[in-house]
Structure formats: C-alpha cells, structure tokens
Amino acid sequence: MNAAILVGTFVVLLVCGTPIALGLGLASLIYLVFLSDMPLVVISHRLASSLEAFTVMAIPFFILAGTLMNTGGITKRLVNLAMKTVGHITGALGHTTVVTNMIMAGMSGSAVADAAGTGMILIKAMKDEGYEPRTAAGIVAASATIGPIIPPSIPMVLYGAMAGASVGALFIGGIIPGFLMGSSLMIVMYFIARKRSYHRYKRASLR
C-alpha cells in the first residue's frame, strides 16, 4: 500500500509537469514525512554522511576531464585516431564512432559526456556521408553506453561507495565486457553498412 502511494504521488507530480529529479525527491519526502516513522534527523544525517565518501570525490574530476576534452580539441584528435585505425572498414564513420567512444570511455567515465563529445562531430559527418539522421543518432547513443562499462566509470564509483565494494575490482571487471560491447557494435555496424553501401576510406599507412 505504501509503495502504491509513493508511486502514485510520483506519477501525479509528473503529470503536473514536475521535473523527474524533483518529482522523485518530493515523492520520497512526502512519503517520509506522512507515512514513515523514521525521524527526519536520521535522513539528513544519512544524506550528509553519504557525501563524505572519499571515492565520490572522483566524480567531479571525471566530469571536468570530459569537459576539458570537448573544449580543448582532444575529441577531434581522438576521432582522427579512430578514423585512421578503422576507416578502411565498410561503414567507416560508424566504426569510428564506436572506437572513439571506447577510447573516451577510459577518460570520462560517463555515457552522457561521451555522447555529447562524439555526437557534436560525428553525427553531422555521418549525415553528410548519407547516413539517415536516426541511424547516426542511434550509433552515437548505442556506442556511448560503453562509457560506464570501460573503467573509469562514474556509476561504478557510486556503487562502490554506497555498497562498500572494491572500486578497483569493479573497474577490472568492466574491461572485458566493455570491449565485447564495442566489438559487437562494430560487427552489427559492418553488416548494416554492407547492406546500405556506406562509404569507407583508404587504409592508412602505419606511419
């Protein structure tokens, strides 16, 4: 019953146009004040103590790294590197998007930062090459999901801080799944590119 009231309050707030984040907070606050026996002092104490975790301090630095990459031109250099590496494969720009996101995943730790960084450059490039807008956006969105998997990862840091798990072990556990995700996306991209006759570029020399 209490869960139904909590969900119902959240739905009503959404219908009224409340932002999702604010709706979640208000629904939880209403539940805690009127339907829970937990003292509000305990809630404020838990909220404050959760921010004292040393590992949480890594999150703003990950966000800063992603911002610096976008504003400093590093993203364009990563795109050029990926293009020289996989540009000779059919569907060059699609593969370049995947590889660029795999590289950026090891720097930013955020799917949103990866999608914003690569999307600004590669969506326009793919549309100019004849990709449908929804295809270009889909490639960027799908490959950006590698961001939280390949370490470092903001969600892994948060999980490790809240659950008391080893952040280092979580990072190590994300390496192989991240590369498997990237490889799977590139395989799918190859067959789509063959079917739609997408462009590829001349193979770059080792130099």
Side-chain angles (χ1 to χ4, degrees), residues 1-10 31 35:
M1 183 63 181
N2 290 341
I5 295 175
L6 178 62
V7 175
T9 305
F10 175 62
Y31 173 80
L35 301 174

Side-chain angles (χ1 to χ4, degrees), residues 98-172:
V98 176
V99 173
T100 303
N101 277 280
M102 291 176 67
I103 298 173
M104 290 185 64
M107 302 178 185
S108 67
S110 169
V112 177
D114 291 355
T118 57
M120 292 174 59
I121 301 172
L122 288 168
I123 288 182
K124 183 180 183 303
M126 283 189 280
K127 289 167 63 176
D128 293 342
E129 287 279 345
Y131 289 64
E132 294 182 4
R134 62 180 182 178
T135 302
I139 295 171
V140 172
S143 57
T145 59
I146 305 173
I149 307 300
I150 295 179
S153 168
I154 292 177
M156 288 183 183
V157 172
L158 287 173
Y159 176 81
M162 291 187 294
S166 170
V167 177
L170 292 172
F171 281 1
I172 294 173

Side-chain angles (χ1 to χ4, degrees), residues 33-191:
V33 171
F34 296 103
L35 301 174
S36 175
D37 297 330
M38 182 181 296
L40 295 180
V41 176
V42 176
I43 299 170
S44 60
H45 175 71
R46 293 294 300 273
L47 289 173
S49 61
S50 64
L51 297 176
E52 295 176 359
F54 179 77
T55 52
V56 178
M57 294 177 60
I59 296 175
F61 290 104
F62 288 153
I63 298 173
L64 175 63
T67 303
L68 290 177
M69 283 193 297
N70 291 334
T71 57
I74 298 177
T75 303
K76 292 182 179 180
R77 293 180 174 86
L78 291 178
V79 170
N80 290 333
L81 172 63
M83 178 63 73
K84 299 300 182 184
T85 305
V86 296
H88 60 279
I89 305 175
T90 303
L93 288 177
H95 297 295
T96 299
T97 304
V98 176
V99 173
T100 303
N101 277 280
M102 291 176 67
I103 298 173
M104 290 185 64
M107 302 178 185
S108 67
S110 169
V112 177
D114 291 355
T118 57
M120 292 174 59
I121 301 172
L122 288 168
I123 288 182
K124 183 180 183 303
M126 283 189 280
K127 289 167 63 176
D128 293 342
E129 287 279 345
Y131 289 64
E132 294 182 4
R134 62 180 182 178
T135 302
I139 295 171
V140 172
S143 57
T145 59
I146 305 173
I149 307 300
I150 295 179
S153 168
I154 292 177
M156 288 183 183
V157 172
L158 287 173
Y159 176 81
M162 291 187 294
S166 170
V167 177
L170 292 172
F171 281 1
I172 294 173
I175 296 175
I176 295 178
F179 280 99
L180 288 176
M181 286 178 63
S183 302
S184 301
L185 288 173
M186 292 183 69
I187 292 173
V188 173
M189 184 65 229
Y190 174 78
F191 286 107

